[in-house]
Amino acid sequence: MGTKIAGTGIYLPKEVLTNFDLEKMVETSDEWITTRTGIKERRIAKEESVVEMAKEASLQALEGAGVDAKDIDVVIVATLTPDKRFPSTACLLQAQLGIDKAYAFDLSAACSGFLYALEVADGLLRSGKAEKVLVVGVEKLSEIVDWSDRSTCVLFGDGAGAVVLERSEEESDILASKMYSDGSLWDILYADKCGYIRMKGRELFKVAVRNMEEACREVLKGAGVSPEEISLVIPHQANVRIINSLADKLEIPRDKVFVNIDRYGNTSAASIPIALHEAIEEGKLKRGDLVLMTAMGGGLTWGALLLRY
Ligand code: ACO
């Protein structure tokens, strides 16, 4: 009895903002951004709302799963950039998709939001309280970025990723997971009074590597799986140097770590579902593979989750 990943989908806004475009906006350079972060370009949702991005990603995931939207029991949207303070993005999405018998809610855990949402969905499916759950990570960070602050505006991007999860009689795809938070560290990464992202980058860098490593080790230990058995690591895409440090500490070869930060920047709760979908599409992830996902974000929140895809 457990949870099955039935389908995935993504949506990336049309508009591309390159490092060269940013050179014209703030005192920065493609060279600085590339070497410090691994980012070359990101997508900006100029035309698209958060709900529209979530809808496109969800439709693709539902189609991939062969599931009718009407059969979804629960809709969970992980986001820190909802279109409206209320109702939730999840309720707006429910209406857009014509899901009539589900209940829907947003989940706020910043960059760890998608993993938190998988954790909640897995609990609902395992307990029999739901049969089919739609989980979406979606962000329009371009709206809460201070475009005059070069230390943050180069890092973030917009996009959406969705996953349809089903209750299964077979062995679970989700083998182990562990989520954490430490609210006493809230001021390392937060939205200020005007709603703009503020961050202590250096501090965050160190905490991110340490906490994600610990969470990964805990999850691997709990599942009795060694790092060598992992086919692919899908980390939250915050900074390629964080990702590389994590891989080195876990002694997992870098070619087993999925990276798309060069194209999308940090899309917070959307980053892992976008990467998961692309890894499947690119044939880097096949059924039966062991996948380790890990994230760290504002809160602070962090966690790791082990999948047998
Ligand atoms: N272009 C050029 N120079 C810049 C830029 C920029 N865009 N931004 C900052 N600088 C300058 C600084 O002003 C500083 O100049 P100074 O030495 O004259 O004072 C210098 O570059 C070094 O700045 P640092 O902040 O110390 O640079 P660092 O090597 O730490 O890199 C970065 C900054 C990329 C933000 C890094 O600390 C980082 O990635 N931290 C993790 C934060 C993160 O990923 N946050 C995302 C959300 S949380 C998460 O998902 C884990």
Side-chain angles (χ1 to χ4, degrees):
M1 186 67 67
T3 297
K4 184 137 209 69
I5 307 264
T8 61
I10 59 174
Y11 181 81
L12 278 315
K14 308 265 174 297
E15 181 93 10
V16 176
L17 184 74
T18 67
N19 292 349
F20 298 105
D21 296 326
L22 281 164
E23 284 181 359
K24 293 174 204 138
M25 296 161 63
V26 285
E27 186 69 38
T28 191
S29 65
D30 170 56
E31 199 269 332
W32 193 96
I33 302 170
T34 306
T35 53
R36 300 284 177 130
T37 71
I39 302 166
K40 299 294 287 182
E41 59 185 45
R42 68 286 293 142
R43 301 298 179 94
I44 304 293
K46 281 228 170 107
E47 311 278 317
E48 304 91 338
S49 69
V50 171
V51 176
E52 281 162 358
M53 292 193 283
K55 181 185 174 187
E56 293 305 320
S58 299
L59 287 172
Q60 194 179 13
L62 287 162
E63 195 188 338
V67 166
D68 193 326
K70 293 206 180 308
D71 293 329
I72 295 289
D73 305 303
V74 185
V75 180
I76 310 175
V77 175
T79 187
L80 51 85
T81 51
D83 289 326
K84 299 181 194 303
R85 188 165 289 201
F86 79 94
S88 67
T89 308
C91 282
L92 299 172
L93 177 64
Q94 173 187 22
Q96 290 273 323
L97 294 173
I99 301 173
D100 46 15
K101 70 175 172 92
Y103 69 95
F105 62 95
D106 285 3
L107 188 152
S108 170
C111 304
S112 312
F114 180 73
L115 290 191
Y116 270 48
L118 283 189
E119 175 87 340
V120 172
D122 186 42
L124 293 169
L125 291 162
R126 279 179 199 266
S127 68
K129 289 200 162 188
E131 291 292 327
K132 295 184 199 316
V133 181
L134 173 63
V135 170
V136 182
V138 57
E139 299 290 7
K140 194 171 180 176
L141 296 170
S142 58
E143 279 197 341
I144 61 162
V145 161
D146 174 355
W147 289 104
S148 65
D149 174 12
R150 68 175 182 174
S151 70
T152 54
C153 76
V154 301
L155 301 174
F156 301 100
D158 302 337
V163 173
V164 173
L165 301 164
E166 282 179 326
R167 182 173 155 84
S168 159
E169 298 299 323
E170 296 157 31
E171 210 186 314
S172 186
D173 285 356
I174 296 178
L175 301 182
S177 58
K178 191 90 180 81
M179 302 300 138
Y180 303 84
S181 66
D182 182 351
S184 72
L185 300 177
W186 69 270
D187 63 347
I188 298 184
L189 177 62
Y190 64 98
D192 68 12
K193 275 190 204 142
C194 300
Y196 291 130
I197 298 172
R198 301 294 173 212
M199 177 181 90
K200 296 177 184 160
R202 288 220 160 168
E203 232 171 295
L204 192 53
F205 192 108
K206 283 188 230 140
V207 181
V209 175
R210 192 175 60 231
N211 287 0
M212 286 195 286
E213 183 198 353
E214 275 175 22
C216 287
R217 289 200 185 283
E218 191 69 24
V219 162
L220 290 173
K221 200 169 126 205
V225 168
S226 67
E228 304 89 74
E229 292 175 77
I230 297 297
S231 304
L232 192 69
V233 180
I234 301 185
H236 166 51
Q237 309 283 309
N239 182 319
V240 80
R241 291 188 296 136
I242 293 178
I243 294 172
N244 287 340
S245 301
L246 177 68
D248 295 350
K249 283 189 184 294
L250 292 171
E251 295 181 61
I252 293 178
R254 291 183 184 181
D255 63 359
K256 283 190 172 179
V257 181
F258 190 86
V259 174
N260 63 6
I261 191 171
D262 49 321
R263 286 174 290 135
Y264 306 134
N266 180 348
T267 57
S268 186
S271 97
I272 292 181
I274 292 171
L276 173 66
H277 179 83
E278 289 196 335
I280 296 166
E281 290 289 295
E282 291 170 18
K284 290 185 176 155
L285 191 55
K286 288 169 226 67
R287 284 284 175 194
D289 283 352
L290 279 173
V291 191
L292 183 62
M293 299 176 175
T294 185
M296 159 93 201
L300 294 182
T301 57
W302 67 100
L305 187 142
L306 182 68
L307 268 187
R308 181 170 307 274
Y309 178 62

